[in-house]
Amino acid sequence: MTKKMARLLATGSAISALSAIALFITPSPVIEKTVQAPTVTAHSAPEPKQSFMDVKCDPPVDMGQIPELSPMSWWAPAINAGASFTPGFTLPVSAATNDGIIYSHSEEVGAAQGVSLLVGHVDYEPGIISDSGGELTAWGQLHELSKCDLIFTADKDGKVIATQLTSLYVAPQFDETLEQKTADEPSNEELQKQLQKQREIQSRVFRSAGPYTITLLTCSGPSVADVGGAFQFRYSNNLIAETNPIDWVY
């Protein structure tokens, strides 16, 4: 695990954490701002009502109309939300846009194996939409997804890949001091459990082999001020949405 990878799993934004910059779009694949009023306070980012991991999905009987998406973008029809993304190692500190990144060390969209990791801020910083900020982006709506919901993602050439949501869960942001803490206190069972969990999440999010997955990641949970953490970003947790391809690619 490189330090760059570690920093990304801690993503949030100094001001708005992986805070979530996610913006809803209309059923049209053209991404446009339809900002939703804040549904959380400045001290908390949304968490899913129900978390789940590795569910088995039956392919939908009717895919409906396949969207024509702009290259390097995603769209989730169940929540009428979507965003664009560009290659990058970290999100901008400023949470001033709905756009996100595809982590440059992850796999390209449509790869044969491994994970394409898409990351965006959960909300807008103060002064972008309102003085107080906190309006959710499209990434900030991911917590509303349900098991097996469809997500469409376009690669750099505009080819659309259909996937279904198989995992939706929250995990603590990466703590780069945890390895040393555990080494210093080998008998501390709680630290051992935290380290094991962190390694498990890393292996899922940064996987370069195995079945192909498109993973979307944003911030979640209480702000670091609420939990007393010395994190780089505003919120204490990450919300992780893992999607597996259906047989069709458009």
Side-chain angles (χ1 to χ4, degrees), residues 37-129:
T39 56
V40 294
T41 71
H43 302 293
S44 180
E47 297 185 2
K49 292 183 179 179
Q50 180 182 18
S51 296
F52 49 90
M53 298 182 75
D54 302 322
V55 300
K56 303 298 182 183
C57 299
D58 293 326
V61 176
D62 182 9
M63 289 286 292
Q65 183 177 358
I66 305 304
E68 295 181 4
L69 298 177
S70 301
M72 305 287 275
S73 66
W74 62 268
W75 177 48
I79 57 175
N80 197 31
S84 296
F85 51 87
T86 55
F89 291 107
T90 59
L91 283 171
V93 171
S94 175
T97 173
N98 187 60
D99 298 338
I101 66 168
I102 177 170
Y103 184 49
S104 293
H105 280 328
S106 71
E107 305 304 310
E108 292 185 349
V109 174
Q113 61 183 6
V115 174
S116 296
L117 180 59
L118 314 182
V119 185
H121 289 292
V122 68
D123 56 19
Y124 290 92
E125 66 184 64
I128 303 302
I129 306 298

Side-chain angles (χ1 to χ4, degrees), residues 27-215:
S28 165
V30 178
I31 296 172
E32 56 182 69
K33 289 188 177 181
T34 58
V35 177
Q36 179 167 326
T39 56
V40 294
T41 71
H43 302 293
S44 180
E47 297 185 2
K49 292 183 179 179
Q50 180 182 18
S51 296
F52 49 90
M53 298 182 75
D54 302 322
V55 300
K56 303 298 182 183
C57 299
D58 293 326
V61 176
D62 182 9
M63 289 286 292
Q65 183 177 358
I66 305 304
E68 295 181 4
L69 298 177
S70 301
M72 305 287 275
S73 66
W74 62 268
W75 177 48
I79 57 175
N80 197 31
S84 296
F85 51 87
T86 55
F89 291 107
T90 59
L91 283 171
V93 171
S94 175
T97 173
N98 187 60
D99 298 338
I101 66 168
I102 177 170
Y103 184 49
S104 293
H105 280 328
S106 71
E107 305 304 310
E108 292 185 349
V109 174
Q113 61 183 6
V115 174
S116 296
L117 180 59
L118 314 182
V119 185
H121 289 292
V122 68
D123 56 19
Y124 290 92
E125 66 184 64
I128 303 302
I129 306 298
S130 68
D131 290 341
S132 58
E135 294 85 1
L136 297 179
T137 65
W139 310 85
Q141 303 299 329
L142 292 172
H143 69 285
E144 297 183 356
L145 288 169
S146 300
K147 293 178 182 178
C148 301
D149 276 349
L150 287 168
I151 296 181
F152 298 96
T153 306
D155 66 11
K156 61 184 179 182
D157 298 318
K159 181 184 295 184
V160 177
I161 299 172
T163 60
Q164 288 177 290
L165 184 70
T166 55
S167 298
L168 184 66
Y169 58 94
V170 170
Q173 290 194 12
F174 180 78
D175 181 356
E176 62 183 7
T177 69
L178 191 53
E179 294 274 357
Q180 188 60 51
K181 289 177 181 177
T182 306
D184 292 341
E185 300 183 52
S187 61
N188 189 319
E189 295 184 1
E190 181 59 32
L191 286 177
Q192 294 288 346
K193 290 179 181 178
Q194 293 176 17
L195 180 59
Q196 180 180 354
K197 181 64 175 178
Q198 179 164 284
R199 287 173 173 172
E200 290 173 354
I201 299 302
Q202 289 175 345
S203 67
R204 294 178 72 100
V205 172
F206 298 115
R207 178 170 52 81
S208 59
Y212 180 61
T213 300
I214 297 177
T215 296

